[in-house]
């Protein structure tokens, strides 16, 4: 904990002064353009990865970058998505998985989770990715995990579309959805191309979109 | 979205090379020392605020930095806390609220949330902070909000103690709980001192703890 | 059932006449000073144990003297606590466990509860006591059970503090919480001393309190 | 609280010695013949009313003597019923309402419960009694309340029959159900006669049963 508190003091003394103008502007308002949903994993730092400043992206982080589908008993992810879309009016949502994900490894390797009942319950929101992935043949455990991480991103995007605020914004042409997988070791990112349902390099195809807003789609 | 994708490219070309050694080490393992629970708000960037590197802190972010109390139907926060404490073995949990919080403002100003049913439901996990705060007199709406933000941190710490993994780690002397409030405009942080139930400046009292692990307490 | 109906007739003919004045007063009003939460167990009779008359204590009884923590889907215990604190304004809540508790025995001895799904679900509200107790070494199964009963009382008191009505009353200095364990064979009661987190004899330390109202605490 | 602790001391010094033989027998076992479900109301003391000793009746008490119908998310009442029927094998269940019930008054007089959200939610388990009672004409508010109390007992008996353990025990001929209403002022009890669906005086008709076990029924 000492390094964290020391970090705060360092931030206050050295980093904050250079950002004080920005923070003064942000003191009573925020206007993020995107909602970024990723894992709680300590190695995935969304603002670093996207080089965004404070105020730029609204962030949800939980184990496995899960988005439960909409239900009669909505939880925190659903509430936060609703707030981001219906109140803040973000124009993009990124669901970002990553390599070496502990949650996806547990699913992919059929780990016994009896001692982690809350984790086991939470990962049921990835069941549709799990059964899709289990029905395929994989060259190795590593390939199975890599595929699981991608299928999970796809499944969470499908879940996202069950949310009323998302459905409305897609219908109104004000929201695009993005599915990314980040590789910790190389820094590379692949993005889901909704038209081909394949993951492609974001660096090569920077305009890749998983689900395009309908109005824009019609405009094309 | 363009600035975000541009940011990714910038990260890959300019930032990643300097961190490639760290990321190589982190490719197949993480060992964060703390779980940091804070708001989805775009202005609160935990790794910036605490000057921590990738791999250092496990992060949960949702609207209002809420931690539902443990129940028979656990959700994402509960699962992620369980993973952080029981699997990763973090030694500290920080619940960090912040100034100008939209969720707390909604509660503090009795905003009608009928059009945001998921948000309204989610914020019920702050009901105990809400009623405590509403029963006090406040000099101004700003003072009421500021007090609401602090009471919410206290309430979420109480909720956290109902989680089995947290109760066990406190009992075993391996976990401390921290309650912080971050001021966006000034960069200041106040921390809950569990012994006096007061918030004090973290810069002045860097060792402030909300709930100390039992074994440590007995050692004193 | 015959002995119960016979008991009613005996009550009406022999006991009621001596209490008719009291019952006439109580016909349209009740003003209990305390909420007493204990087990459904047939051997634990709260009014006998505390020698209280009709009208004196408000009582919740269920298997295991469980108090679920506050959630967005509150049940009967939560509703009854809310009624006792917010409507009746009780000044004290006692959570009273007891020796030889069937529910705690099931947990303590890791009994398979697959054939009792509702019981198994209900006892999850004691999970935090369960994991704390399981992590300790115990001299015997009896010692393990005795410790489980005590830890369960502590866990339910923590759960109780997540309830808004309780948080408010503690804040306003109008409510104290008590944690008791009753020994059926000897009639003895030990009470949780919140300052030391130890159970002590209530007969020797009759003013023992688990959580004291804040205002009272400040007055000391 | 002082009178309660004084009561405990009085119990230990004066009452317990005369019962020590009974309590010694009960130290490690209980064998109650009936489950008695009644209100948390301080004026309704089941063991006094039925003149039963410790060990004789298993007791559930909550606001409104409510028994939620069986669902996929069972709570405390369901768990306790399951334990009483499937583990303890009680032969009778009594659901006992009472005069001047605060919960039933709230329903009967259409009281606004916005400030008591948990109570409001809990009382929805009496909705079927509420709509039945509201559809009738009543001579006075007192008559409407009295009718509401009775309809609630009937509704809770119907709910009880949705529980698997109860359905099985009824089928096997090992369980009878009883619906009572207790009058605080007079000590009188009326019991639901299942064959006529009328409430009759228990003193006059001591063998009144709401739902008789099927095997017995077939034997008649």
């Amino acid at each position: 904990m000492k390094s964290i508190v020391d970090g705060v003091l360092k931030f206050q003394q050295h980093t904050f002064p250079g950002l004080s103008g920005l923070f003064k502007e942000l003191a009573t308002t925020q206007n993020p353009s995107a909602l970024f949903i990723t894992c709680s994993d300590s190695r995935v730092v969304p603002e670093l990865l996207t080089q965004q400043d404070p105020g730029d992206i609204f962030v949800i982080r939980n184990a496995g970058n899960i988005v439960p589908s909409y239900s009669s008993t909505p939880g925190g992810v659903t509430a936060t998505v609703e707030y981001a879309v219906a109140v803040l009016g973000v124009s993009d949502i990124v669901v970002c998985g990553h390599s070496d994900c502990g949650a996806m490894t547990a699913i992919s390797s059929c780990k016994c989770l009896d001692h982690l009942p809350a984790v086991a319950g939470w990962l049921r929101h990835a069941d549709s990715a799990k059964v899709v992935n289990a029905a395929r043949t994989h060259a190795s455990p590593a390939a199975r995990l890599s595929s699981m991480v991608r299928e999970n991103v796809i499944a969470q995007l499908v879940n996202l579309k069950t949310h009323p605020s998302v459905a409305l914004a897609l219908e109104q042409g004000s929201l695009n959805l993005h599915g990314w997988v980040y590789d910790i070791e190389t820094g590379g990112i692949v993005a889901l191309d909704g038209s081909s349902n394949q993951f492609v390099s974001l660096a090569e195809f920077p305009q890749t979109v998983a689900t395009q807003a309908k109005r824009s789609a019609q405009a094309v």
Side-chain angles (χ1 to χ4, degrees), chain A residues 99 108 133 138 140-151 181:
Chain A
S99 64
S108 177
N133 202 51
H138 302 279
S140 65
R144 185 186 301 119
L145 171 58
S146 171
S147 172
M148 181 67 213
V149 169
R150 293 179 181 203
E151 287 304 316
V181 173

Side-chain angles (χ1 to χ4, degrees), chain A residues 145-208:
Chain A
L145 171 58
S146 171
S147 172
M148 181 67 213
V149 169
R150 293 179 181 203
E151 287 304 316
N152 182 49
V153 167
I154 295 174
Q156 304 313 323
L157 286 167
V158 171
N159 285 350
L160 204 45
K161 291 185 195 173
T162 67
H163 292 230
S165 59
V166 171
L168 178 62
L170 285 171
E171 162 76 15
Q172 293 183 329
S174 58
L175 182 68
N176 289 329
L177 306 185
H178 309 263
W180 292 6
V181 173
Y182 167 58
D183 185 73
I184 293 170
E185 184 165 8
T186 66
I189 285 178
V190 289
L192 178 65
D193 174 16
S195 58
S196 69
N197 227 28
Q198 300 293 316
F199 282 85
V200 299
S201 162
L202 185 66
E204 288 178 53
F205 302 96
Q207 300 190 324
T208 306

Side-chain angles (χ1 to χ4, degrees), chain A residues 92-110:
Chain A
D92 294 272
I93 300 179
V94 182
V95 175
C96 181
H98 66 96
S99 64
D100 197 49
C101 179
M104 293 308 116
T105 302
I107 295 174
S108 177
S109 61
C110 273

